[in-house]
Amino acid sequence: MVDLITLARLDSRVSATPSHMCPGFTLERELLLGIGKFQLLEEAIVSTFETVFGRCPPPPGGSFLSGSTMVSWLAPREWLLTGEDAQVQTMIEQIEDVAECALAMDVSHARAAILVTGSHARDALAAMTSLDISDTVFRAGDVARASFGDVAMFLARLSDQAGIPRFRMIIDQTMAAYAVRILGETTLAAGASA
Amino acid sequence: MSGSRTHSGGLIDRSRPLTFRWAGRRYSGYAGDTLASALLANGISTIGRSFKYHRRRGLMAAGLEEPNGIVQLELGAATIPNMKATQIELYEAMVANPVNAWPSLTFDVMSIVSWAKRFIPAAFYYKTFMWPNWRFYEPWVRKAAGLGFAPKGPDPDSYDHRFAHVDTLVVGSGAAGLAAAEAVADAGNSVMLVEADAELGGGLLAMNDPVEGRAASDWRASLVGGLRQRPNVRVMSRTMAFGFYDHGLVALCERLTDHLPLAERRGPRQRLWKVRCGRVILATGAFERPIAFSGNDVPGVMLASAAQTYSLRFGALPGRQIVVVTNNDSGYGAAFALADSGAEIVAIVDSRSHSGVVAEHAASRSIRVIPASVPLSATGRRRIKALVVAPLAALRRRETLRCDTVLTAGGWNPAVHLHSQSGGALVFDEAMQAFLPDKPTQDAISVGAAAGVFDMAAAIGSARSAAGREGAGAVAPFAVGPVHALADGDPAGQTTWLDFQNDVTVADVQLGVRESFRSVEHLKRYTTLGMATDQGKTSNVPAIRTLSNLLGKPPQAIGTTKFRPPFDPVTIGGFAGRSVGDDLMPLARMSAHDALVAAGATMEAYGGWLRPACFKKPGETEAMAIAREVLAVRNSVGLFEASPLGKIEVKGPDAAEFLQRMYVNTVHGLKIGRCRYGLMLNEHGVVYDDGVFARIADNHFLVGTTSGHAAAIADTFNEWLQCEWADLKVMVENVTTGWAVMNLAGPRARDILREVGTDIDLSAGAFPHMAYREGHVGGVKARIERVSFTGELSYEVAVPWRYGAALWDACTEAGREHGITPFGIEALMVMRVEKGFLHVGSDTDGTTYPQDVGFASMMERKTDDFVGRRSTMRPVGRRDDRRQLVGLEVDDEGGVLEIGSHVLPADAVEARGTEGWVTSSVMSPMLQRPLAMALIARGFSRTGERVRVWHLGAWRSARIVDPRFYDPSGERLGG
């Protein structure tokens, strides 16, 4: 029998970890990030969250950490899990077990996560999204869904690193090359940044 | 040549001389010049030719309102047509040329048109060129009209976009704008101050009067410096606010490299900003209004404020002997500034009887003032030589004033464009003879000259008050005197210009009114007044005044034409931003993209995906490759990446009921582990999508859609669930790009899949056609559907996306000894036509009902309602002449039919009364003959009937047949 896992690991197209240095910011593909998504029927929301996470769901535009996994609001009755792959898998299984009927799935293969970090990270993102991601409006832990150019995007502001803002954007994996390419075109010409 | 450079003064950097080429000749200027000021300083009077009559045109303004100074900037791929010389910052080695002139600006052959002006007035093209037909004249008219030319090659520049959010946006950096920005910033709000010019300061850059007790330049420097230091203020020059949209959205165009020599340009040329503003303060200033008289388009006639700007800011004198024509005080200021710069002011012709203190100042400078008088006509062809003036009350008592320049100061029109774009009302002020901003509809306020406040102290005060949301105090209106209005039919109207770029005269307006174009919007279209690149910034209000006089209605009753974005022209590249080339419409790539390319795939865009059309081998044509691929699938096995097929998970207690309502087919009875073909309609009953859905569990379905349509179908599902059936407990998730799908098709497909390795029983009994199984393939979890679009034994194997390429490689390797052949979209389409399978989008259009494609009996059997059902039962759906999907076989040796060919009765002799058209057409490698499918009126009942097929004048002969051309009983599917 063919071993697709080994074949895939040998495939440089998958194992590569592209990272791009741009003026004032860095792009890093988070290839190993576990990404899960779940939907719950209205009547199962509170009990499922209390059982699996020990707390209420995050408010719209908000998130919380469960262990090292970030649980983010996506839409009414929809949430996103991002974190260490095994932990995300465990949570998906727990949700499926606890809720009488949940649509919980690993979407790691369907999505691409890109970490945008740096003093000019906001400028880079502001070239492609109409979201207000200023420091006072979009704080650490805030999440949002918006357009990034021509594609849909989930954006989370992670905790700053030494005062440098970090954003995690998650898009459909087929658009990852587009996103990296178009972010990489960001040029901080004179007058472009505050 | 009359213009010249002053010996000193101005804001240009005389230590940095620059050279440039104009009309093939070399000239010099200084850093800080515009092309317009440099040309003026070099004595260039004629800078362009008008659009229609090719009349000589000189500079009229110094800013973006300039109608005449239209040039072709640079050469080759970098060339830009129809730039305003007044907006082009001079740089070293600039190359600019006049437009609309051949062979040269000074000798333009087409200027002969000007002599025939009487015969080609406004809208002549609506009344002429009738015989023999318009197309006979069109090439000549097109050649004669127009200004610059577009570059032939792709734009070498890049452009960018940026979004921003700000508490207050201040547009304009004159005294009012600077004061407002400072006041808002003092309150702690975030401020964005934008200025279209390279320098901040607006009118402060060209004035000698002190501001708040300080020299204007010092006052400006102090405020600009302070604003730049503040962390809550973003100051942007070279940035034009060109559009004010709903909900506080203002669009800006920032020029990043236009001011640099070509060789020094790096990065994006321009950046388009979309700024969401809490509040907008419009300090956009005002445009000076010209005064019309016969011959007012001769080079040397200029706005007084422009002449003042050229003199004080650029150190360029527009002439040596100047007559100033005015109806207000501002003309005097210009006259004094030019006199101070060394020009001779021949006279100030003022339409007012009493000018007060400014007349006394003129007298103290020994400048002659001719009160209560107006200009009548100018003389001169290449350049103005004299101006004839007369008392307004005695027009026959004329006096000729020798001069080389005439400056006109007819009052000021506040730049109300952005205010109006935002929805704000306008009100006509009789004293100012101008439209002022009235009630806003958004949180926006106009200040300073933009609000009709021209007194400096009052403008600054009103700006500060507005910034603090305090009401501005009452300000005395800036009253203007009368102007001479021509009577209807006065011959002088033929040579009295209103719109200088588009050659619209007073006589043209009179003609329009006589021909009943009395609405200002209709008049605009009829005469083209205000439709040039300057959008009527100097012509609209004088034209409205002319219209007012003709109709006997006040300007307020006439109103203005609609102010629409952009305020000033914006490059198409700016709107496109980074969305060009591969990023115009980003295409999704297949999981095995690299392997497909390595296998020789010809990749093409299909529904947002880059997919293989076919896999050509050396020496093969596309047709040969398609035929080889089809034969391989039919005789052995083929491999096709089908990842773009839509995959939507539908789960919940009401999932089956939901799908029952969404699809034509019955869902309730579907067993777990089985698949069913599904046809989906929209609310109008029109075929919208199709696919195969599988029942994973009692409350869980995997719904297939056509390629590239998954997102739209998922959205449709959610729309029905959220808007119509909120009581249904159903969850929907589009998982298309999470699963890579490899389709093994052909008699050996099962062998290959076994070779790759799976824990799923693939035997025909355990895994029949139209069944769904989950398990593992190659050690990873897999979902397999045994479905077929080729008519062969076929497995669609889905694995998590990252294993897609590995699965492709594994299948290729496992099938090597069986001659496994990769096949593309085109071969797949040939095979589905051989089978007569419907392809939604190809064989259907926006009028196709399910009964037209063979689903009538299925609908009749289904007792439940579903989306679109009722619409299919309307009378139009029951017509017996509906076009129905049938097969076509050609009778001749003419090869495949063209898709789109019209189908007509066998006895048709002319291409009229089409009965339908060819929707799909291929050459069948298996049957060795052309096959086609067509939508034909009453097609189902016409099997065997001969028809004629027409395409672009060529006739073919064909026969209507059953579309199941190959393996009609479907035996091969059960292999």
Side-chain angles (χ1 to χ4, degrees), chain A residues 96 103-106, chain B residues 647-651 675 694 696-697 700-703 733-736 738-742 753 758-760 767 771-777 780-786 795-800 807:
Chain A
E96 289 274 17
L103 184 56
M105 62 185 68
D106 175 10
Chain B
K647 299 170 277 291
I648 301 172
E649 297 210 19
V650 178
K651 190 176 181 183
C675 301
I696 298 175
H700 195 177
F701 291 81
L702 181 62
V703 176
E733 183 67 31
N734 176 10
V735 297
T736 302
W739 295 88
V741 180
M742 299 303 153
L753 188 51
T758 178
D759 54 7
I760 299 170
F767 196 170
Y772 168 89
R773 297 290 182 267
E774 290 181 0
H776 293 83
V777 170
V780 302
K781 65 179 179 181
R783 292 171 160 181
I784 305 179
E785 290 183 359
R786 193 181 151 185
Y795 297 93
E796 290 182 356
V797 185
V799 294
L807 180 58

Side-chain angles (χ1 to χ4, degrees), chain B residues 757-771:
Chain B
T758 178
D759 54 7
I760 299 170
D761 183 353
L762 299 177
S763 64
F767 196 170
H769 180 55
M770 296 302 277

Side-chain angles (χ1 to χ4, degrees), chain B residues 366-436:
Chain B
S366 302
I367 295 175
R368 181 189 174 199
V369 175
I370 307 176
S373 296
V374 292
L376 294 182
S377 62
T379 58
R381 193 167 69 84
R382 297 189 173 196
R383 171 98 194 180
I384 194 163
K385 291 180 177 173
L387 181 70
V388 177
V389 302
L392 194 54
L395 293 175
R396 296 190 176 211
R397 214 172 70 212
R398 303 181 177 190
E399 178 183 357
T400 299
L401 303 171
R402 303 291 301 179
C403 59
D404 62 16
T405 301
V406 171
L407 306 183
T408 68
W412 295 84
N413 296 327
V416 296
H417 305 64
L418 294 178
H419 167 82
S420 181
Q421 287 175 19
S422 74
L426 300 176
V427 61
F428 189 78
D429 186 286
E430 282 291 342
M432 292 190 202
Q433 288 291 299
F435 287 93
L436 301 183

Side-chain angles (χ1 to χ4, degrees), chain B residues 2-46:
Chain B
S2 293
S4 61
R5 183 73 77 184
T6 58
H7 294 297
S8 61
L11 302 179
I12 53 172
D13 185 352
R14 293 179 192 255
S15 68
R16 290 177 55 205
L18 301 171
T19 58
F20 67 102
R21 296 188 77 82
W22 165 253
R25 294 186 61 181
R26 186 173 161 169
Y27 297 93
S28 63
Y30 293 106
D33 260 326
T34 61
L35 175 61
S37 68
L39 289 172
L40 198 68
N42 279 280
I44 308 295
S45 293
T46 301

